[in-house]
Amino acid sequence: MVLLALGLSRTSRFCPHVSRQLYRRAGLPPRKEQPAAFHFRHHSHLTAAPPLLFRGNGGWVIQISPRATVCPQSGHFHSSAPLRALPAPLIWMVLKPLQKLMAIILGRSIRKWWVALPDNRRQLIQEWAWRQRWHLAAMAGVAVVIVALLLLTHLDESPVTGRTRLLVFSRENYLELAALTSEAYMEEYAELLVPVTDPRHLVVERVVQHLAQRNKDIPEISDVTWSVHVVQSPNINAFVLPNGKVFMFTGMLEAVADIHQLTIVLGHEMAHALLGHSAEQASLSHVLDLLSLILLSAIWAVCPRDSLALLGQWVQDKLVQLMFSRPYSRKLESEADEVGLRLAAKACADVRAGPVFWQQMELRDQLKGEPTLPEWLSTHPTHRNRSSQLDYLIPQALELRESCVCPPLHAADPRAVFSKTVQVLLEKAKDQGIGGSTGASKKHFYLQQQLAGAASQ
């Protein structure tokens, strides 16, 4: 009856004359009517189903909340007050530590219960389990089939590439999360944002809009409003959120040698957004976490001491990362490299500059003496492998570029120019007699300065 009253309360906000009839049938006292009015409420955060105001091709369009109801005989129209709802991925991230804690408590409780049992009770339970082994195996098999069917119902086809993938969280879920994330980033970088009149911002803005215009045949690009934010930071980084918010660090602008490399870098980041890699990677992580909860409970139930259980949990986490999470992340990075190169080719960039950028990054790391992790320990492919992969894709990208009626490329191949430049600089450093351990560092410094000057030109 309480739930019915709540439902009638909601209905009466839209259709007073309908709600009065329902209240009489339910035997409840009629609810006082409120004066009707047509109104919208502004919310700075995303809500479950807010009224939307957006601009279409024919002007400004108002989209009413799906819960809005029109009274058939009333002269007034109301839209329901939107309810705030957290995006599903955000809820999962909040509950993730709690799930692990519950699995640990369950496993530890099972261990304590088993240790406290008398020997004869343990023997009886073991004998019962052995007699019911086939029934238990059948139940486990049914559970595996159910999980497999659930996963099969969440298979999706990746845009552009057509690859089959698992998506537990939809693109819409991540668009909601991206809106919250972009607000957090805007607050974090509020003091570091480059003015929109700054030439660096104008260059990035122009490249992003050019990429979006030349690839408007892809719905995931044409349906998004792309906006650029340049952050004053030496970090060589850039990322694009699923809702089209582009964050470019000035360190990345200093790392690229020309507009073609910048186009390829932005194409790579935009590819992550249009392919929905954030939702895909979170979906895999979510499934792995749920499946690993069983193993985590078993570890804490079987290990005789908490210290051994903690060690087993650490080993489990590392194995999951090395066997599933990091290889999958590298796969997504390689796919973004491939799709980003296509986007850049359709934008008439010199795609031959792609391998050169990663060769520059590899040389930069070597000159700075930064340690290089093995690829299997990293979430990204090595610079050398990324350069090799892009080099392999160049012929296809050149054909795509030619089919888009782009102007002819310069006869000089940037890959050959870069290789020759490095060779000449090494010979110059050798001719200057730089040798030994101290000389090696001087040679590295010399190369770094010369390459930086060559890139700026």
Side-chain angles (χ1 to χ4, degrees):
M1 185 61 70
V2 174
L3 294 177
L4 177 60
L6 290 175
L8 293 173
S9 175
R10 288 199 186 99
T11 307
S12 66
R13 294 157 69 184
F14 308 119
C15 305
H17 66 282
V18 175
S19 64
R20 283 195 299 269
Q21 297 177 6
L22 294 176
Y23 268 91
R24 292 194 194 100
R25 294 180 184 178
L28 298 175
R31 188 173 175 271
K32 293 183 179 180
E33 298 180 9
Q34 300 295 332
F38 180 81
H39 63 275
F40 284 116
R41 293 183 182 178
H42 174 71
H43 292 265
S44 59
H45 299 286
L46 289 176
T47 55
L52 299 178
L53 182 66
F54 63 95
R55 187 162 189 166
N57 295 331
W60 290 98
V61 181
I62 297 177
Q63 177 181 337
I64 306 301
S65 167
R67 297 199 312 273
T69 307
V70 180
C71 301
Q73 298 178 359
S74 176
H76 304 282
F77 178 86
H78 288 269
S79 65
S80 62
L83 299 176
R84 293 179 179 270
L86 293 176
L90 183 59
I91 296 175
W92 164 69
M93 287 188 289
V94 172
L95 295 180
K96 183 177 178 180
L98 182 61
Q99 292 174 348
K100 287 190 174 182
L101 179 60
M102 295 300 294
I104 292 173
I105 294 175
L106 176 61
R108 198 167 184 269
S109 300
I110 293 174
R111 186 217 309 167
K112 286 190 172 183
W113 168 79
W114 180 258
V115 170
L117 283 177
D119 293 340
N120 58 340
R121 291 288 302 277
R122 292 185 199 172
Q123 185 177 359
L124 289 175
I125 293 175
Q126 290 173 350
E127 291 176 356
W128 175 86
W130 177 253
R131 289 194 304 268
Q132 301 294 327
R133 62 187 182 278
W134 298 115
H135 293 85
L136 296 175
M139 293 174 59
V142 170
V144 170
V145 171
I146 292 175
V147 171
L149 291 176
L150 289 175
L151 295 180
L152 288 175
T153 58
H154 287 84
L155 293 181
D156 181 70
E157 186 176 293
S158 178
V160 183
T161 62
R163 175 177 55 85
T164 302
R165 59 183 180 174
L166 177 68
L167 272 189
V168 176
F169 303 115
S170 65
R171 177 180 174 85
E172 290 72 19
N173 292 145
Y174 256 81
L175 287 177
E176 295 176 359
L177 181 60
L180 299 177
T181 306
S182 60
E183 291 180 5
Y185 278 127
M186 292 299 293
E187 293 179 3
E188 179 181 356
Y189 300 136
E191 304 292 332
L192 302 175
L193 291 179
V194 171
V196 295
T197 56
D198 191 283
R200 294 169 294 182
H201 184 280
L202 296 176
V203 168
V204 177
E205 175 77 26
R206 184 172 181 180
V207 172
V208 169
Q209 297 304 329
H210 182 62
L211 278 165
Q213 176 64 25
R214 296 288 296 190
N215 292 276
K216 62 182 180 181
D217 58 308
I218 304 175
E220 289 78 10
I221 287 185
S222 59
D223 294 344
V224 174
T225 302
W226 302 92
S227 60
V228 172
H229 307 280
V230 179
V231 182
Q232 184 70 44
S233 172
N235 295 332
I236 303 177
N237 191 21
F239 59 90
V240 177
L241 298 178
N243 61 348
K245 301 290 185 181
V246 180
F247 289 86
M248 171 66 68
F249 291 73
T250 54
M252 177 63 79
L253 293 177
E254 296 172 0
V256 297
D258 51 35
I259 196 68
H260 302 289
Q261 292 187 8
L262 178 60
T263 304
I264 292 171
V265 169
L266 286 170
H268 168 89
E269 300 301 335
M270 291 174 69
H272 277 305
L274 77 92
L275 293 171
H277 279 171
S278 55
E280 183 177 348
Q281 196 163 13
S283 297
L284 175 69
S285 179
H286 181 61
V287 172
L288 289 176
D289 284 341
L290 291 180
L291 295 178
S292 63
L293 291 178
I294 302 174
L295 180 58
L296 181 60
S297 298
I299 290 174
W300 279 86
V302 172
C303 292
R305 293 192 300 272
D306 290 347
S307 57
L308 293 177
L310 285 172
L311 178 60
Q313 180 180 347
W314 180 83
V315 171
Q316 177 202 2
D317 291 339
K318 293 304 177 184
L319 287 177
V320 170
Q321 290 181 15
L322 295 177
M323 296 176 62
F324 297 101
S325 301
R326 291 182 182 178
Y328 201 76
S329 177
R330 293 195 296 268
K331 177 182 178 180
L332 297 184
E333 288 295 330
S334 298
E335 185 180 51
D337 281 342
E338 179 181 354
V339 175
L341 194 66
R342 296 187 198 178
L343 301 182
K346 292 169 67 176
C348 298
D350 189 347
V351 292
R352 300 172 300 180
V356 176
F357 172 75
W358 292 112
Q359 290 176 9
Q360 291 173 189
M361 295 297 294
E362 181 182 13
L363 186 58
R364 179 189 295 267
D365 290 347
Q366 292 177 355
L367 295 177
K368 288 186 176 181
E370 295 183 0
T372 303
L373 292 176
E375 186 175 82
W376 58 276
L377 287 175
S378 176
T379 57
H380 289 62
T382 61
H383 298 332
R384 180 170 301 180
N385 287 344
R386 298 181 84 165
S387 177
S388 300
Q389 183 201 13
L390 290 178
D391 200 34
Y392 174 77
L393 297 171
I394 290 300
Q396 300 176 7
L398 289 175
E399 292 180 3
L400 177 61
R401 185 184 185 278
E402 186 177 356
S403 67
C404 294
V405 195
C406 293
L409 292 172
H410 195 277
D413 192 326
R415 295 169 291 181
V417 173
F418 179 79
S419 178
K420 185 65 176 177
T421 302
V422 173
Q423 183 180 356
V424 169
L425 292 177
L426 286 173
E427 292 177 353
K428 287 184 178 180
K430 185 178 180 180
D431 293 340
Q432 291 181 1
I434 301 177
S437 58
T438 305
S441 61
K442 291 181 179 179
K443 180 167 65 176
H444 286 172
F445 177 77
Y446 172 79
L447 281 173
Q448 187 174 356
Q449 296 298 319
Q450 293 298 320
L451 286 172
S456 63
Q457 295 176 2

